[in-house]
Amino acid sequence: MPELAAHVRDVPVNQIREITEAAWRTPGALVLSIGEPGFPLPRHVLEAGMACLDRDETNYTPNAGLPALREAFAARFRERTGLNGETGIGADRVYVVDGAQQGLHFAMSLLLSPGDEILIPNPGYPTFAMTSRLLNAVPVGYPLYPEHSFQPRTADIEALITERTRVLVLNSPSNPLGAVLSEDMTRELVELARRHDLWIISDECYEAFTYDVPHVSPAKYDGGTPGDARVFTSLTLSKTYGLTGLRIGALICPPGLEQKMDNVMESIVSCVASPSQYAALAALTGPQDYVREAHQHYRENRDAASAALDAKGIPYLTAEGAFYLWADVSHASGGDVRGWVRRFLNDSGVALAPGTAFGSIGEGWVRIALCGRKDELLEGLSRLPARD
């Protein structure tokens, strides 16, 4: 058999999937390693997808998605960010994508040539590195240190910029950290990208879930004109509405790129499945009870999990957003947290995502998903070894 391309051979294993699939094969395991919302979908969302199939509306849609859905995404983004009037985001800048992961691939395909460098958070979501490697680009991690509450520092990022740097990836609220960028830091990072003429890809999958702090989109500080705009915003309905299996999201692009966006969209996926688009339209425009109830559930689980870790003396980063807790288990993991989570699953029947799945700075840490049932979450945490 001929060899695969070198850039495919170099793509690392996703350690989140590694431990989660091991847990799925373990009878009775408590799976706290993956961010899968645990609520039934609202009935009106399901019915919208089924109605699309019933009327056999299963042909191609425009590359960019159903016009009504594009406008619904744009309207939600305007409402959430306050970008109205002359700075408003129009439906013409919204591209419906097959989940946020395809949106990230879409954006990187537009922006990266072989050998280009892309700055990604360390710790950060693993597919930032995986996707860029698939495009023959070079991921460069910028550090998020525990002693700085895992917040970026402009000087640390600026020190990594070279003549090959093309893209800065931002993720707020952060997966895996639950950290949220402040308004001042967001503005500062956009200004940094402008000084060095970098694109920004802003992953805002968890924008609906912040706790006592606002979500601030980098798009708020973008230039807004074709000559100065540089922010691509990746959104998803997987987390906001629990539509993980329907694979539906949006990529909001700077102005003036519409024709290029159409061309690349055609070559990657052509268009997203129409039942998913109609379900998404119903989610965005219908009752929002699901989002409110999910927000409350995640907050309550965060508080309960934090108390459980406090009782065991286990340090953690207070989550200001998303639905994860980032906890320090270095007292137990012995410098190999990837190996430790496998042993912990085998010995205790609990799956946690190893911090090394998200970068080298994650050694000794684990990500705990807060999105399932509270009783299972607390039972899983009760099995963690206490810190002396």
Side-chain angles (χ1 to χ4, degrees):
M1 175 185 297
E3 286 192 344
L4 297 173
H7 64 277
V8 174
R9 298 197 302 270
D10 292 341
V11 173
V13 171
N14 187 325
Q15 296 176 38
I16 306 169
R17 281 286 175 175
E18 179 182 62
I19 190 65
T20 301
E21 290 182 6
W24 288 338
R25 296 190 297 268
T26 303
L30 298 174
V31 184
L32 306 181
S33 55
I34 196 167
E36 179 72 62
F39 305 104
L41 291 183
R43 189 65 198 172
H44 70 279
V45 175
L46 294 172
E47 289 176 351
M50 291 186 287
C52 174
L53 293 172
D54 284 341
R55 62 180 179 265
D56 193 21
E57 191 170 338
T58 53
N59 298 323
Y60 290 121
T61 71
N63 290 130
L66 297 170
L69 179 55
R70 297 175 73 192
E71 178 50 46
F73 268 115
R76 176 179 171 81
F77 194 68
R78 290 192 297 266
E79 177 187 358
R80 298 285 295 176
T81 61
L83 289 171
N84 293 299
E86 293 182 3
T87 60
I89 304 296
D92 59 318
R93 293 173 56 184
V94 175
Y95 278 71
V96 178
V97 292
D98 198 14
Q101 181 53 46
Q102 192 252 318
L104 291 172
H105 182 252
F106 188 2
M108 291 185 194
S109 297
L110 284 157
L111 307 180
L112 293 169
S113 298
D116 284 349
E117 295 174 355
I118 176 171
L119 296 167
I120 65 174
N122 174 16
Y125 192 60
T127 63
F128 296 153
M130 295 169 72
T131 305
S132 53
R133 288 188 187 280
L134 279 174
L135 294 167
N136 285 295
V138 180
V140 177
Y142 59 85
L144 307 175
Y145 293 119
E147 56 266 34
H148 301 298
S149 301
F150 292 97
Q151 290 287 335
R153 295 190 301 174
T154 304
D156 290 336
I157 298 175
E158 196 154 22
L160 296 170
I161 296 173
T162 74
E163 62 181 11
R164 298 296 301 171
T165 308
R166 295 290 179 269
V167 179
L168 171 63
V169 174
L170 303 177
N171 176 210
S172 179
S174 165
N175 175 10
L177 303 170
V180 175
L181 293 176
S182 69
E183 186 157 3
D184 287 344
M185 177 54 66
T186 303
R187 183 191 301 110
E188 191 173 321
L189 291 169
V190 174
E191 291 171 354
L192 170 70
R194 185 171 291 116
R195 281 201 307 275
H196 292 276
D197 200 24
L198 304 180
W199 296 101
I200 290 175
I201 298 175
S202 178
D203 178 353
E204 301 179 27
C205 287
Y206 298 90
E207 51 85 22
F209 305 117
T210 61
Y211 313 107
D212 302 319
V213 296
H215 166 67
V216 181
S217 175
K220 181 176 180 180
Y221 301 106
D222 203 12
T225 62
D228 191 36
R230 64 193 62 248
V231 176
F232 285 80
T233 305
S234 177
L235 303 172
T236 184
L237 302 192
S238 292
K239 311 303 183 182
T240 310
Y241 297 94
L243 304 184
T244 53
L246 292 187
R247 312 307 306 134
I248 192 82
L251 184 68
I252 299 178
C253 71
L257 300 179
E258 291 79 9
Q259 185 58 59
K260 295 296 184 185
M261 296 280 286
D262 279 337
N263 293 346
V264 176
M265 188 71 172
E266 175 66 24
S267 68
I268 293 176
V269 72
S270 293
C271 62
V272 175
S274 51
S276 294
Q277 293 196 56
Y278 278 102
L281 180 60
L284 286 167
T285 60
Q288 299 298 298
D289 304 47
Y290 179 99
V291 183
R292 288 189 291 270
E293 291 167 7
H295 187 282
Q296 182 65 23
H297 176 75
Y298 300 150
R299 183 179 190 132
E300 290 175 357
N301 274 11
R302 180 203 64 167
D303 294 345
S306 298
L309 293 179
D310 285 336
K312 287 182 171 286
I314 297 175
Y316 58 90
L317 179 68
T318 300
E320 294 184 323
F323 45 61
Y324 305 104
L325 263 189
W326 183 246
D328 181 355
V329 296
S330 57
H331 65 289
S333 60
D336 177 18
V337 75
R338 183 181 184 184
W340 180 81
V341 296
R342 291 298 299 265
R343 295 191 297 275
F344 187 60
L345 172 61
N346 292 336
D347 296 343
S348 303
V350 180
L352 306 171
T356 49
F358 308 96
S360 59
I361 297 177
E363 181 57 68
W365 296 75
V366 292
R367 188 194 71 176
I368 303 164
L370 304 172
C371 39
R373 289 169 44 185
K374 184 187 297 184
D375 59 339
E376 292 186 353
L377 170 64
L378 294 179
E379 175 58 32
L381 297 183
S382 75
R383 303 177 193 178
L384 283 170
R387 193 181 189 102
D388 295 333

